[in-house]
Amino acid sequence: AQKITQTQPGMFVQEKEAVTLDCTYDTSDQSYGLFWYKQPSSGEMIFLIYQGSYDEQNATEGRYSLNFQKARKSANLVISASQLGDSAMYFCAMRGIFTGNQFYFGTGTSLTVIP
Amino acid sequence: DAGITQSPRHKVTETGTPVTLRCHQTENHRYMYWYRQDPGHGLRLIHYSYGVKDTDKGEVSDGYSVSRSKTEDFLLTLESATSSQTSVYFCAISEPSGAKETQYFGPGTRLLVL
């Protein structure tokens, strides 16, 4: 069974500081993908970053980076230099190659950036 | 941005009535998905489709049916709406490309069942 756990319901960060959003996962698949999505108050789901289970380097996309620790089954999102526009819900998701094409989502973390 | 639209965007209906939500894509992606989003649950998969007329159940499929007669359209039907189906419904699409297959989401439909 696949499972994604996000243990931080809410987080606060000062503007221009970095913040880490936690995500742990459980899967029996050897090959899988990990994803982070952002959902601002307007409601749309925005894809941020992807990490493959066989990727040796941590993924980065602008101010977003994914701290991937395979042995610990964690895929934390790091946002550097937080901006007010980063205030949103953030969802971690996973897809296993050999367990069908279902994506599994965590329950999300609400991030508030304080000016 | 991926070309995904959902209709209607908002709907209020009464318990016991059938409701159909439509997802339309212009990306020619093979996979389409319906999720519901509820506080404390994140996104939960209702049904998905891996091709025209090919569908499968997700985690929370009871009370829902789907149809896909064309690549671009995926319909979600609540056969007899209940108050527990009040939720935000998201459609998503993806194209198989190994592990890096990313899902792209539509804008969502807010459904209120009275």
Side-chain angles (χ1 to χ4, degrees):
Chain A
Q2 322 272 5
K3 187 177 181 182
I4 293 282
T5 302
Q6 294 180 256
T7 58
Q8 305 156 314
M11 291 278 288
F12 292 87
V13 64
Q14 204 75 36
E15 193 177 7
K16 300 181 184 178
E17 298 292 314
V19 63
T20 298
L21 307 183
D22 294 342
C23 173
T24 58
Y25 61 91
D26 191 18
T27 180
S28 54
D29 253 310
Q30 296 300 309
S31 180
Y32 49 89
L34 296 157
F35 307 79
W36 277 92
Y37 289 85
K38 172 184 179 182
Q39 186 178 41
S41 58
S42 52
E44 70 268 33
M45 294 286 289
I46 302 167
F47 166 70
L48 294 178
I49 195 167
Y50 159 84
Q51 176 84 43
S53 58
Y54 289 115
D55 293 343
E56 294 186 352
Q57 293 197 343
N58 288 340
T60 60
E61 291 286 348
R63 294 186 298 111
Y64 304 108
S65 60
L66 201 153
N67 184 2
F68 180 46
Q69 298 187 46
K70 192 171 182 177
R72 301 179 66 177
K73 294 190 174 180
S74 74
N76 298 339
L77 177 71
V78 180
I79 305 174
S80 63
S82 297
Q83 302 172 355
L84 296 178
D86 293 335
S87 293
M89 283 289 290
Y90 289 82
F91 291 95
C92 180
M94 177 180 67
R95 173 183 169 268
I97 296 301
F98 298 112
T99 51
N101 270 294
Q102 295 196 34
F103 284 69
Y104 295 86
F105 286 81
T107 53
T109 295
S110 176
L111 177 67
T112 301
V113 180
I114 303 167
Chain B
D1 290 341
I4 312 167
T5 57
Q6 293 183 229
S7 59
R9 293 292 313 280
H10 301 86
K11 185 168 182 66
V12 180
T13 191
E14 293 186 349
T15 299
T17 60
V19 176
T20 295
L21 308 182
R22 179 180 183 239
C23 177
H24 178 79
Q25 61 144 330
T26 58
E27 305 297 318
N28 202 35
H29 281 16
R30 185 150 56 105
Y31 284 85
M32 298 185 76
Y33 307 78
W34 277 108
Y35 292 90
R36 61 177 289 173
Q37 184 179 23
D38 305 289
H41 290 278
L43 278 82
R44 292 181 292 174
L45 182 65
I46 305 171
H47 282 279
Y48 67 101
S49 168
Y50 46 95
V52 173
K53 298 185 179 178
D54 292 323
T55 65
D56 206 349
K57 296 180 179 180
E59 178 186 1
V60 290
S61 60
D62 287 349
Y64 301 95
S65 62
V66 290
S67 66
R68 192 170 178 198
S69 58
K70 298 185 290 184
T71 299
E72 57 266 34
D73 290 324
F74 193 33
L75 303 180
L76 175 71
T77 297
L78 288 63
E79 292 140 9
S80 177
T82 67
S83 58
S84 64
Q85 293 176 312
T86 292
S87 187
V88 179
Y89 291 86
F90 284 97
C91 173
I93 65 173
S94 70
E95 184 61 31
S97 57
K100 199 172 182 177
E101 175 185 325
T102 300
Q103 283 191 332
Y104 295 95
F105 286 82
T109 293
R110 291 187 175 273
L111 177 66
L112 174 61
V113 183
L114 300 174

